């Protein structure tokens, strides 16, 4: 075997995907972070039309200008971010946006502040870029919300960036406005970058989303269409940053991806400009499922924070064999340790599954794992 590049030594294959691919037939999957809804019909129709119209050539490297114009309007309306279409890049999902952010700005010797627990892709992107991870605890007593005071304690003269994710995968935590603004202020005072992953922005219950780019110029704001519009397989994300930062990001994007999928970009345009009824229905259904899974887990004695966004709960379950027991009983979950050292003693469960299946899964856990 030819030796791989040393950088791959720092990377492990996704434990989430391992669980997903090992799912037994008939098992209820509470492990995968993917909406169980279909792409809204108006978006499908727009993509079908684009193919019929032969709009299948390369697009501009940054994405169709009309799509970037609508994204700029969305940023202003929803996030209070004033940006120009030239400072927006349409990416192959939010994952590419995260990867190019790391490649453009991180290198050996840089310290990157990372919430613990957090989505496992962040750690991989940092490691591939050569950065050093400095974890910042997201404590259960704070409902897993990242606090500005905890961030301040970890800042040094080597701090290059921090990754924020609100609402959070894996905890469902939604950061408070005062912490978002305080961290934005810190980024200006100490001259570090904020990489703000806002992919779950629209899936929030009884709270409001705040973007750090409203308060700081040192921010790369990342979003996409996968979660809000159930467009996971279509791989369309986007980012914005100031002009200087965008130029560096564009170097990586242009020389690795060229452009995002043309047909999916047409669907994304329709997603932003068309009716939002299906989004509202989806979020309302997620909230009902959240209420169900939280109440059932607490009733079983697994302390569970009432997650305020996304579609995950992160119950405290200290039985190290729980995930295996649950899988053997027919319910797929993910060990919290996959998301950082502070995830140990927790389990991530996704409620991106039907209400009926969640009810059935909770019955199985209660009968065969808790009381079995």
């Amino acid at each position: 075997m030819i030796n791989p590049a040393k950088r791959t030594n720092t990377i492990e294959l996704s434990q989430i995907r391992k669980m997903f691919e090992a799912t037994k037939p008939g098992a209820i999957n509470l492990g995968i972070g993917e909406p169980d809804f279909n792409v809204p019909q108006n978006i499908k129709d727009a993509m079908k039309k684009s193919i019929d119209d032969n709009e299948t050539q390369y697009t501009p490297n940054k994405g169709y200008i009309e799509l970037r114009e609508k994204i700029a309007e969305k940023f202003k309306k929803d996030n209070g971010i004033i940006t120009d279409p030239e400072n927006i890049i349409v990416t192959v999902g939010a994952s590419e946006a995260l990867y190019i952010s790391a490649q453009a700005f991180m290198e050996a010797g840089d310290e990157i502040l990372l919430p613990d627990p957090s989505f496992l892709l962040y750690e991989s992107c940092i490691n591939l870029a050569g950065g050093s991870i400095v974890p910042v605890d997201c404590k259960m007593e704070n409902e897993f919300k990242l606090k500005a005071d905890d961030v301040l304690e970890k800042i040094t003269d080597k701090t290059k960036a921090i990754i924020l994710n609100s609402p959070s995968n894996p905890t469902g935590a939604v950061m408070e406005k005062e912490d978002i603004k305080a961290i934005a202020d810190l980024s200006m005072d100490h001259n570090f970058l904020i990489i703000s992953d806002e992919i779950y922005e629209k899936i929030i219950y009884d709270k409001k989303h705040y973007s750090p780019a409203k308060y700081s110029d040192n921010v790369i704001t990342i979003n996409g269409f996968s979660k809000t519009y159930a467009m996971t397989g279509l791989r369309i994300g986007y980012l914005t940053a100031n002009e200087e930062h965008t130029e560096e990001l564009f170097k990586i994007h242009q020389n690795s991806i060229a452009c995002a999928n043309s047909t999916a970009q047409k669907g994304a345009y329709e997603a932003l400009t068309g009716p939002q009824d299906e989004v509202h229905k989806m979020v309302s259904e997620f909230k009902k499922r959240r209420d169900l899974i939280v109440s059932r887990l607490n009733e079983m004695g697994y302390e569970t924070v009432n997650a305020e966004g996304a579609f995950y709960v992160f119950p405290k379950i200290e039985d190290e064999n729980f995930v295996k027991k649950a899988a053997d009983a027919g319910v797929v979950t993910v060990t919290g340790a996959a998301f950082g050292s502070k995830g140990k003693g927790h389990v991530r469960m996704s409620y991106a599954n039907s209400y009926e299946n969640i009810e059935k899964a909770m019955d199985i856990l209660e009968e065969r794992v808790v009381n079995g």
Side-chain angles (χ1 to χ4, degrees), residues 100-150:
I100 66 174
S101 296
Q103 290 297 310
F105 290 101
M106 299 176 193
E107 57 191 351
D110 290 338
E111 292 182 351
I112 314 301
L113 306 186
L114 186 64
D116 187 359
S118 64
F119 182 41
L120 47 84
L121 181 65
Y122 304 147
E123 180 178 349
S124 297
C125 286
I126 295 168
N127 286 336
L128 282 170
S132 298
I133 294 172
V134 178
V136 184
D137 292 355
C138 296
K139 305 178 182 72
M140 191 173 187
E141 55 262 37
N142 292 331
E143 299 179 315
F144 299 113
K145 298 176 184 182
L146 185 67
K147 309 303 289 184
D149 288 344
D150 294 329

Short mmCIF file of all heavy atoms in Angstrom, two decimals, residues 100-150:
data_model
loop_
_atom_site.label_atom_id
_atom_site.label_comp_id
_atom_site.label_asym_id
_atom_site.label_seq_id
_atom_site.Cartn_x
_atom_site.Cartn_y
_atom_site.Cartn_z
N ILE A 100 -13.61 25.06 3.18
CA ILE A 100 -12.80 26.12 2.57
C ILE A 100 -12.48 27.22 3.56
O ILE A 100 -11.44 27.88 3.46
CB ILE A 100 -13.45 26.69 1.28
CG1 ILE A 100 -14.74 27.42 1.58
CG2 ILE A 100 -13.66 25.59 0.26
CD1 ILE A 100 -15.33 28.11 0.34
N SER A 101 -13.34 27.42 4.56
CA SER A 101 -13.03 28.39 5.61
C SER A 101 -11.79 27.97 6.38
O SER A 101 -10.91 28.79 6.69
CB SER A 101 -14.22 28.54 6.57
OG SER A 101 -15.35 29.06 5.90
N ALA A 102 -11.72 26.68 6.69
CA ALA A 102 -10.55 26.17 7.41
C ALA A 102 -9.30 26.23 6.54
O ALA A 102 -8.23 26.66 6.98
CB ALA A 102 -10.81 24.73 7.87
N GLN A 103 -9.42 25.83 5.28
CA GLN A 103 -8.26 25.81 4.40
C GLN A 103 -7.73 27.21 4.11
O GLN A 103 -6.53 27.40 3.94
CB GLN A 103 -8.63 25.10 3.09
CG GLN A 103 -8.84 23.61 3.22
CD GLN A 103 -7.58 22.87 3.66
OE1 GLN A 103 -6.51 23.06 3.09
NE2 GLN A 103 -7.72 22.04 4.69
N ALA A 104 -8.62 28.17 4.05
CA ALA A 104 -8.21 29.53 3.71
C ALA A 104 -7.57 30.26 4.88
O ALA A 104 -6.74 31.16 4.67
CB ALA A 104 -9.41 30.33 3.20
N PHE A 105 -7.92 29.88 6.13
CA PHE A 105 -7.50 30.71 7.25
C PHE A 105 -6.78 29.99 8.39
O PHE A 105 -6.29 30.64 9.31
CB PHE A 105 -8.72 31.45 7.83
CG PHE A 105 -9.23 32.52 6.91
CD1 PHE A 105 -10.34 32.30 6.11
CD2 PHE A 105 -8.58 33.74 6.81
CE1 PHE A 105 -10.80 33.27 5.24
CE2 PHE A 105 -9.03 34.73 5.95
CZ PHE A 105 -10.14 34.49 5.16
N MET A 106 -6.70 28.67 8.36
CA MET A 106 -6.06 27.96 9.46
C MET A 106 -4.77 27.29 9.00
O MET A 106 -4.69 26.78 7.89
CB MET A 106 -7.00 26.88 10.02
CG MET A 106 -8.30 27.43 10.57
SD MET A 106 -9.39 26.07 11.11
CE MET A 106 -10.94 26.96 11.32
N GLU A 107 -3.79 27.28 9.90
CA GLU A 107 -2.52 26.60 9.62
C GLU A 107 -1.85 26.21 10.93
O GLU A 107 -2.34 26.55 12.02
CB GLU A 107 -1.61 27.48 8.78
CG GLU A 107 -1.29 28.82 9.40
CD GLU A 107 -0.60 29.75 8.41
OE1 GLU A 107 -0.23 29.29 7.32
OE2 GLU A 107 -0.43 30.93 8.75
N ALA A 108 -0.73 25.51 10.83
CA ALA A 108 -0.01 25.06 12.02
C ALA A 108 0.33 26.25 12.91
O ALA A 108 0.78 27.29 12.44
CB ALA A 108 1.26 24.32 11.61
N GLY A 109 0.09 26.08 14.20
CA GLY A 109 0.37 27.13 15.17
C GLY A 109 -0.86 27.94 15.54
O GLY A 109 -0.85 28.66 16.56
N ASP A 110 -1.91 27.84 14.74
CA ASP A 110 -3.15 28.56 15.04
C ASP A 110 -3.98 27.79 16.05
O ASP A 110 -4.13 26.56 15.94
CB ASP A 110 -3.99 28.74 13.76
CG ASP A 110 -3.37 29.71 12.78
OD1 ASP A 110 -2.55 30.55 13.21
OD2 ASP A 110 -3.72 29.64 11.59
N GLU A 111 -4.54 28.50 17.01
CA GLU A 111 -5.47 27.90 17.96
C GLU A 111 -6.89 28.24 17.53
O GLU A 111 -7.22 29.39 17.27
CB GLU A 111 -5.22 28.43 19.37
CG GLU A 111 -3.89 27.97 19.95
CD GLU A 111 -3.66 28.45 21.38
OE1 GLU A 111 -4.46 29.29 21.87
OE2 GLU A 111 -2.67 28.01 22.00
N ILE A 112 -7.72 27.19 17.46
CA ILE A 112 -9.10 27.35 17.04
C ILE A 112 -10.00 26.97 18.21
O ILE A 112 -9.95 25.83 18.70
CB ILE A 112 -9.43 26.46 15.82
CG1 ILE A 112 -8.33 26.58 14.75
CG2 ILE A 112 -10.80 26.81 15.28
CD1 ILE A 112 -8.09 27.96 14.21
N LEU A 113 -10.81 27.90 18.67
CA LEU A 113 -11.73 27.63 19.77
C LEU A 113 -12.93 26.86 19.22
O LEU A 113 -13.54 27.25 18.22
CB LEU A 113 -12.20 28.94 20.41
CG LEU A 113 -11.10 29.90 20.88
CD1 LEU A 113 -11.73 31.08 21.63
CD2 LEU A 113 -10.08 29.19 21.76
N LEU A 114 -13.24 25.75 19.88
CA LEU A 114 -14.30 24.88 19.40
C LEU A 114 -15.23 24.48 20.55
O LEU A 114 -14.76 23.93 21.55
CB LEU A 114 -13.70 23.61 18.78
CG LEU A 114 -14.67 22.65 18.10
CD1 LEU A 114 -15.34 23.31 16.90
CD2 LEU A 114 -13.96 21.37 17.68
N PRO A 115 -16.52 24.79 20.44
CA PRO A 115 -17.46 24.35 21.48
C PRO A 115 -17.38 22.84 21.67
O PRO A 115 -17.19 22.09 20.72
CB PRO A 115 -18.83 24.76 20.91
CG PRO A 115 -18.53 25.87 19.95
CD PRO A 115 -17.20 25.53 19.36
N ASP A 116 -17.51 22.42 22.91
CA ASP A 116 -17.46 21.00 23.26
C ASP A 116 -18.67 20.68 24.12
O ASP A 116 -18.77 21.19 25.23
CB ASP A 116 -16.16 20.70 24.02
CG ASP A 116 -15.94 19.21 24.27
OD1 ASP A 116 -16.80 18.40 23.87
OD2 ASP A 116 -14.91 18.87 24.88
N PRO A 117 -19.64 19.90 23.60
CA PRO A 117 -19.63 19.12 22.36
C PRO A 117 -20.01 19.96 21.14
O PRO A 117 -20.63 21.02 21.27
CB PRO A 117 -20.70 18.05 22.63
CG PRO A 117 -21.67 18.73 23.55
CD PRO A 117 -20.83 19.60 24.43
N SER A 118 -19.62 19.45 19.95
CA SER A 118 -20.00 20.11 18.70
C SER A 118 -19.96 19.09 17.57
O SER A 118 -19.46 17.97 17.74
CB SER A 118 -19.07 21.28 18.39
OG SER A 118 -17.74 20.84 18.18
N PHE A 119 -20.45 19.49 16.41
CA PHE A 119 -20.53 18.63 15.24
C PHE A 119 -19.14 18.13 14.86
O PHE A 119 -18.19 18.91 14.77
CB PHE A 119 -21.16 19.42 14.09
CG PHE A 119 -21.35 18.65 12.81
CD1 PHE A 119 -21.80 17.33 12.83
CD2 PHE A 119 -21.10 19.25 11.59
CE1 PHE A 119 -21.99 16.63 11.65
CE2 PHE A 119 -21.28 18.55 10.40
CZ PHE A 119 -21.73 17.25 10.43
N LEU A 120 -19.01 16.84 14.62
CA LEU A 120 -17.69 16.22 14.45
C LEU A 120 -16.94 16.70 13.20
O LEU A 120 -15.72 16.62 13.14
CB LEU A 120 -17.82 14.69 14.43
CG LEU A 120 -18.91 14.06 13.56
CD1 LEU A 120 -18.45 13.89 12.14
CD2 LEU A 120 -19.35 12.72 14.16
N LEU A 121 -17.65 17.24 12.20
CA LEU A 121 -16.98 17.73 11.00
C LEU A 121 -16.04 18.90 11.31
O LEU A 121 -15.01 19.07 10.65
CB LEU A 121 -18.00 18.16 9.95
CG LEU A 121 -17.44 18.67 8.63
CD1 LEU A 121 -16.69 17.56 7.89
CD2 LEU A 121 -18.54 19.24 7.74
N TYR A 122 -16.38 19.69 12.32
CA TYR A 122 -15.53 20.85 12.66
C TYR A 122 -14.12 20.39 13.03
O TYR A 122 -13.13 20.97 12.58
CB TYR A 122 -16.13 21.64 13.82
CG TYR A 122 -17.54 22.12 13.61
CD1 TYR A 122 -18.43 22.23 14.68
CD2 TYR A 122 -18.01 22.48 12.34
CE1 TYR A 122 -19.72 22.68 14.50
CE2 TYR A 122 -19.30 22.93 12.16
CZ TYR A 122 -20.16 23.02 13.25
OH TYR A 122 -21.44 23.46 13.07
N GLU A 123 -14.04 19.39 13.87
CA GLU A 123 -12.74 18.88 14.30
C GLU A 123 -11.93 18.38 13.11
O GLU A 123 -10.73 18.67 13.00
CB GLU A 123 -12.92 17.75 15.33
CG GLU A 123 -11.62 17.17 15.83
CD GLU A 123 -11.82 16.08 16.88
OE1 GLU A 123 -12.96 15.93 17.37
OE2 GLU A 123 -10.83 15.40 17.21
N SER A 124 -12.58 17.67 12.19
CA SER A 124 -11.88 17.16 11.02
C SER A 124 -11.35 18.29 10.14
O SER A 124 -10.21 18.24 9.66
CB SER A 124 -12.81 16.26 10.21
OG SER A 124 -13.21 15.13 10.96
N CYS A 125 -12.16 19.31 9.93
CA CYS A 125 -11.74 20.44 9.09
C CYS A 125 -10.54 21.16 9.71
O CYS A 125 -9.59 21.54 9.00
CB CYS A 125 -12.89 21.42 8.90
SG CYS A 125 -14.17 20.86 7.75
N ILE A 126 -10.57 21.35 11.02
CA ILE A 126 -9.46 22.00 11.71
C ILE A 126 -8.20 21.16 11.60
O ILE A 126 -7.11 21.66 11.30
CB ILE A 126 -9.82 22.26 13.18
CG1 ILE A 126 -10.98 23.25 13.29
CG2 ILE A 126 -8.60 22.80 13.96
CD1 ILE A 126 -11.59 23.34 14.67
N ASN A 127 -8.32 19.87 11.85
CA ASN A 127 -7.16 18.97 11.78
C ASN A 127 -6.55 18.93 10.39
O ASN A 127 -5.32 18.95 10.23
CB ASN A 127 -7.56 17.57 12.24
CG ASN A 127 -7.77 17.46 13.73
OD1 ASN A 127 -7.22 18.26 14.49
ND2 ASN A 127 -8.55 16.50 14.17
N LEU A 128 -7.39 18.85 9.35
CA LEU A 128 -6.88 18.81 7.99
C LEU A 128 -6.13 20.10 7.62
O LEU A 128 -5.21 20.08 6.82
CB LEU A 128 -8.03 18.58 7.00
CG LEU A 128 -8.53 17.14 6.88
CD1 LEU A 128 -9.81 17.08 6.08
CD2 LEU A 128 -7.47 16.24 6.25
N ALA A 129 -6.54 21.21 8.23
CA ALA A 129 -5.89 22.49 7.96
C ALA A 129 -4.64 22.70 8.81
O ALA A 129 -3.89 23.64 8.58
CB ALA A 129 -6.87 23.63 8.19
N GLY A 130 -4.42 21.83 9.80
CA GLY A 130 -3.23 21.92 10.65
C GLY A 130 -3.40 22.74 11.90
O GLY A 130 -2.44 22.94 12.65
N GLY A 131 -4.61 23.23 12.18
CA GLY A 131 -4.85 24.02 13.38
C GLY A 131 -4.88 23.17 14.63
O GLY A 131 -5.00 21.95 14.58
N SER A 132 -4.79 23.86 15.78
CA SER A 132 -4.86 23.19 17.09
C SER A 132 -6.19 23.54 17.74
O SER A 132 -6.56 24.71 17.84
CB SER A 132 -3.71 23.65 17.99
OG SER A 132 -2.47 23.30 17.42
N ILE A 133 -6.90 22.51 18.20
CA ILE A 133 -8.22 22.71 18.79
C ILE A 133 -8.10 23.06 20.26
O ILE A 133 -7.40 22.39 21.02
CB ILE A 133 -9.07 21.45 18.62
CG1 ILE A 133 -9.37 21.22 17.14
CG2 ILE A 133 -10.37 21.56 19.42
CD1 ILE A 133 -10.03 19.89 16.84
N VAL A 134 -8.79 24.13 20.66
CA VAL A 134 -8.92 24.52 22.06
C VAL A 134 -10.40 24.40 22.42
O VAL A 134 -11.22 25.22 22.00
CB VAL A 134 -8.42 25.96 22.31
CG1 VAL A 134 -8.62 26.35 23.77
CG2 VAL A 134 -6.95 26.09 21.90
N PRO A 135 -10.78 23.37 23.17
CA PRO A 135 -12.21 23.18 23.47
C PRO A 135 -12.74 24.20 24.46
O PRO A 135 -12.02 24.62 25.38
CB PRO A 135 -12.26 21.76 24.04
CG PRO A 135 -10.89 21.50 24.57
CD PRO A 135 -9.95 22.28 23.71
N VAL A 136 -13.98 24.60 24.25
CA VAL A 136 -14.68 25.49 25.19
C VAL A 136 -15.93 24.75 25.63
O VAL A 136 -16.79 24.41 24.81
CB VAL A 136 -15.07 26.83 24.54
CG1 VAL A 136 -15.70 27.75 25.57
CG2 VAL A 136 -13.86 27.49 23.87
N ASP A 137 -16.02 24.48 26.94
CA ASP A 137 -17.11 23.65 27.45
C ASP A 137 -18.48 24.31 27.27
O ASP A 137 -18.66 25.49 27.58
CB ASP A 137 -16.90 23.36 28.94
CG ASP A 137 -15.70 22.48 29.20
OD1 ASP A 137 -15.09 22.02 28.21
OD2 ASP A 137 -15.37 22.26 30.38
N CYS A 138 -19.42 23.52 26.79
CA CYS A 138 -20.83 23.93 26.74
C CYS A 138 -21.54 23.07 27.81
O CYS A 138 -21.85 21.90 27.57
CB CYS A 138 -21.43 23.69 25.37
SG CYS A 138 -20.68 24.68 24.07
N LYS A 139 -21.73 23.65 28.97
CA LYS A 139 -22.17 22.89 30.14
C LYS A 139 -23.67 22.61 30.11
O LYS A 139 -24.47 23.44 29.70
CB LYS A 139 -21.82 23.65 31.41
CG LYS A 139 -20.34 24.03 31.53
CD LYS A 139 -20.08 24.83 32.80
CE LYS A 139 -18.62 25.25 32.91
NZ LYS A 139 -18.27 26.32 31.95
N MET A 140 -24.02 21.42 30.61
CA MET A 140 -25.42 21.06 30.67
C MET A 140 -26.20 22.00 31.57
O MET A 140 -27.37 22.30 31.30
CB MET A 140 -25.58 19.61 31.15
CG MET A 140 -26.99 19.06 30.98
SD MET A 140 -27.11 17.29 31.35
CE MET A 140 -28.80 16.96 30.84
N GLU A 141 -25.56 22.49 32.63
CA GLU A 141 -26.27 23.41 33.53
C GLU A 141 -26.59 24.74 32.85
O GLU A 141 -27.45 25.49 33.31
CB GLU A 141 -25.46 23.66 34.82
CG GLU A 141 -24.05 24.16 34.60
CD GLU A 141 -23.03 23.04 34.67
OE1 GLU A 141 -23.33 21.92 34.21
OE2 GLU A 141 -21.93 23.29 35.21
N ASN A 142 -25.90 25.03 31.73
CA ASN A 142 -26.21 26.20 30.91
C ASN A 142 -27.03 25.82 29.68
O ASN A 142 -27.07 26.55 28.70
CB ASN A 142 -24.93 26.90 30.45
CG ASN A 142 -24.18 27.55 31.58
OD1 ASN A 142 -24.77 27.97 32.57
ND2 ASN A 142 -22.87 27.63 31.46
N GLU A 143 -27.69 24.66 29.76
CA GLU A 143 -28.49 24.14 28.65
C GLU A 143 -27.63 23.95 27.40
O GLU A 143 -28.12 24.08 26.28
CB GLU A 143 -29.70 25.04 28.36
CG GLU A 143 -30.65 25.14 29.55
CD GLU A 143 -31.83 26.05 29.25
OE1 GLU A 143 -31.63 27.15 28.69
OE2 GLU A 143 -32.96 25.64 29.57
N PHE A 144 -26.36 23.65 27.61
CA PHE A 144 -25.37 23.41 26.54
C PHE A 144 -25.07 24.66 25.71
O PHE A 144 -24.46 24.57 24.64
CB PHE A 144 -25.82 22.27 25.60
CG PHE A 144 -25.99 20.95 26.28
CD1 PHE A 144 -27.24 20.37 26.40
CD2 PHE A 144 -24.89 20.28 26.80
CE1 PHE A 144 -27.42 19.14 27.02
CE2 PHE A 144 -25.05 19.04 27.43
CZ PHE A 144 -26.31 18.47 27.54
N LYS A 145 -25.47 25.83 26.19
CA LYS A 145 -25.24 27.06 25.43
C LYS A 145 -23.83 27.58 25.66
O LYS A 145 -23.36 27.65 26.80
CB LYS A 145 -26.26 28.13 25.84
CG LYS A 145 -27.70 27.74 25.54
CD LYS A 145 -28.68 28.77 26.04
CE LYS A 145 -30.12 28.30 25.82
NZ LYS A 145 -31.11 29.30 26.23
N LEU A 146 -23.15 27.93 24.58
CA LEU A 146 -21.82 28.52 24.69
C LEU A 146 -21.93 29.90 25.31
O LEU A 146 -22.76 30.72 24.88
CB LEU A 146 -21.19 28.61 23.29
CG LEU A 146 -19.74 29.11 23.24
CD1 LEU A 146 -18.81 28.09 23.88
CD2 LEU A 146 -19.33 29.35 21.78
N LYS A 147 -21.10 30.17 26.32
CA LYS A 147 -21.14 31.44 27.04
C LYS A 147 -19.89 32.26 26.74
O LYS A 147 -18.77 31.73 26.68
CB LYS A 147 -21.25 31.20 28.55
CG LYS A 147 -22.37 30.24 28.97
CD LYS A 147 -23.74 30.67 28.49
CE LYS A 147 -24.26 31.88 29.22
NZ LYS A 147 -25.66 32.21 28.77
N ALA A 148 -20.10 33.55 26.59
CA ALA A 148 -18.99 34.44 26.22
C ALA A 148 -17.88 34.43 27.26
O ALA A 148 -16.68 34.51 26.91
CB ALA A 148 -19.51 35.85 26.01
N ASP A 149 -18.22 34.34 28.55
CA ASP A 149 -17.20 34.33 29.60
C ASP A 149 -16.29 33.12 29.47
O ASP A 149 -15.07 33.21 29.72
CB ASP A 149 -17.85 34.33 30.99
CG ASP A 149 -18.48 35.68 31.33
OD1 ASP A 149 -18.15 36.68 30.65
OD2 ASP A 149 -19.29 35.73 32.27
N ASP A 150 -16.85 31.98 29.08
CA ASP A 150 -16.03 30.78 28.90
C ASP A 150 -15.12 30.91 27.68
O ASP A 150 -13.99 30.40 27.67
CB ASP A 150 -16.93 29.55 28.75
CG ASP A 150 -17.70 29.23 30.03
OD1 ASP A 150 -17.17 29.52 31.12
OD2 ASP A 150 -18.83 28.72 29.92
#
